[in-house]
Amino acid sequence: IGSNGVVLTTSNGGYEWDEQRSPANTTLYGLYVKDRSRLVITGARGVVMTSNNGGDKWVLRPSGIRDHLFAVTFAPKNLLVGWAVGTFGSIIATTDGGKTWKTQESQTSSHLFSVSFSDTKNGIAVGTHGTVLVTSNGGAEWKQTKKLTDFPLTGVTFTSEKKATVVGYRGTIMQTEDMGKTWTTKDPLVTTDLYSVFFVDDLHGWAAGEGGVVLTTGDGGNIWLPVNVRTGPRLATLFFSDESLGWAAGADGLVVRTDDGGLSWQRLT
């Protein structure tokens, strides 16, 4: 997904891409794939779109807000319950799979770039000025944690019920094992801005960012090592289907693929 409402799909691992008909002409930021059929996209000016047939048809859903929505996520074991976050502390939530949405009070005006939940109750959202918001009741109440950095935080993901990893600008990587009560800061040996983090299990994870930087960990996030993508453009997002096979996408329509866990990458676009 990207600017001008573009939605691209592949059926052969990323080697060929087809454009889908999108009802939105704004920039699209957030994508959540529930399964091969059910998908949810969020974007600029409060856009929310859902599909129940793999993207052959997209339906615009009323979000009730006009803020840009940068990220969307759902509870892993209950795909009816989801959240989206965006500019000026915007948080909206759904309990019917994305058809209808209600606003939640974030108690912040910071822009929120990423959100993740380990179940229907426990979630973390991150954003500008080092903002970290935590909820233990599905977003009925969000609380701001003690600030550890002033840099923007851009990505968050859970690897277990209470363990989460956060990435951000200037090579920031932080982890919590108690739902945000305490945090440890990791040293990735780079000061590059990081935009995305993904774990395929509780041990194997990757982070991507500016200048084509990709970091990988095999021990749950204690040690991070840079790998060579041999590309300059910013990598905004990445996804792995297992320990070996993954993709990253970013500026200027760039899509790259790895078949060896990120050690080497092949440009697909």
Side-chain angles (χ1 to χ4, degrees):
I1 60 171
S3 57
N4 301 317
V6 71
V7 180
L8 303 177
T9 181
T10 181
S11 57
N12 60 5
Y15 292 103
E16 296 173 301
W17 294 84
D18 297 313
E19 190 165 347
Q20 295 183 336
R21 288 181 61 119
S22 166
N25 57 10
T26 57
T27 300
L28 303 176
Y29 297 112
L31 168 66
Y32 191 91
V33 179
K34 300 181 183 182
D35 52 38
R36 291 179 71 116
S37 300
R38 297 177 297 164
L39 311 100
V40 180
I41 287 175
T42 62
R45 299 203 290 274
V47 161
V48 177
M49 311 191 311
T50 65
S51 176
N52 288 321
N53 51 19
D56 289 339
K57 181 183 179 185
W58 290 93
V59 179
L60 281 171
R61 304 293 186 179
S63 66
I65 63 171
R66 297 290 291 169
D67 295 289
H68 302 339
L69 294 171
F70 294 128
V72 58
T73 194
F74 283 78
K77 294 180 181 177
N78 186 342
L79 295 176
L80 292 175
V81 181
W83 301 261
V85 300
T87 48
F88 303 107
S90 297
I91 302 178
I92 58 174
T94 180
T95 55
D96 56 13
K99 295 175 185 173
T100 62
W101 297 81
K102 292 181 179 178
T103 57
Q104 294 185 337
E105 292 294 327
S106 69
Q107 314 297 334
T108 183
S109 59
S110 296
H111 303 326
L112 300 175
F113 294 132
S114 185
V115 60
S116 184
F117 274 72
S118 62
D119 51 37
T120 59
K121 301 295 185 186
N122 295 292
I124 295 176
V126 299
T128 53
H129 312 299
T131 298
V132 178
L133 304 178
V134 175
T135 182
S136 58
N137 53 18
E141 187 180 21
W142 289 89
K143 294 180 180 178
Q144 195 155 332
T145 65
K146 182 182 175 183
K147 189 175 290 192
L148 292 177
T149 178
D150 288 321
F151 294 127
L153 300 174
T154 51
V156 57
T157 186
F158 277 92
T159 51
S160 64
E161 183 183 355
K162 295 189 176 181
K163 183 177 180 179
T165 301
V166 170
V167 301
Y169 280 29
R170 301 289 295 169
T172 300
I173 300 180
M174 309 187 312
Q175 285 192 321
T176 179
E177 297 191 18
D178 54 14
M179 263 305 298
K181 292 185 180 70
T182 60
W183 293 85
T184 56
T185 301
K186 308 298 180 180
D187 183 5
L189 305 176
V190 300
T191 56
T192 312
D193 294 345
L194 301 174
Y195 302 127
S196 178
V197 60
F198 185 89
F199 276 78
V200 75
D201 54 34
D202 57 353
L203 292 177
H204 300 88
W206 300 262
E210 196 64 49
V213 163
V214 175
L215 307 172
T216 181
T217 180
D219 65 357
N222 291 311
I223 297 174
W224 293 84
L225 299 173
V227 295
N228 186 12
V229 182
R230 294 198 306 250
T231 183
R234 166 172 48 101
L235 294 173
T237 186
L238 75 170
F239 175 85
F240 277 73
S241 60
D242 55 38
E243 291 177 30
S244 302
L245 179 58
W247 299 263
D252 304 320
L254 176 71
V255 179
V256 293
R257 167 181 168 141
T258 179
D259 293 276
D260 57 12
L263 296 178
S264 63
W265 294 79
Q266 173 186 6
R267 186 167 183 152
L268 301 181
T269 58

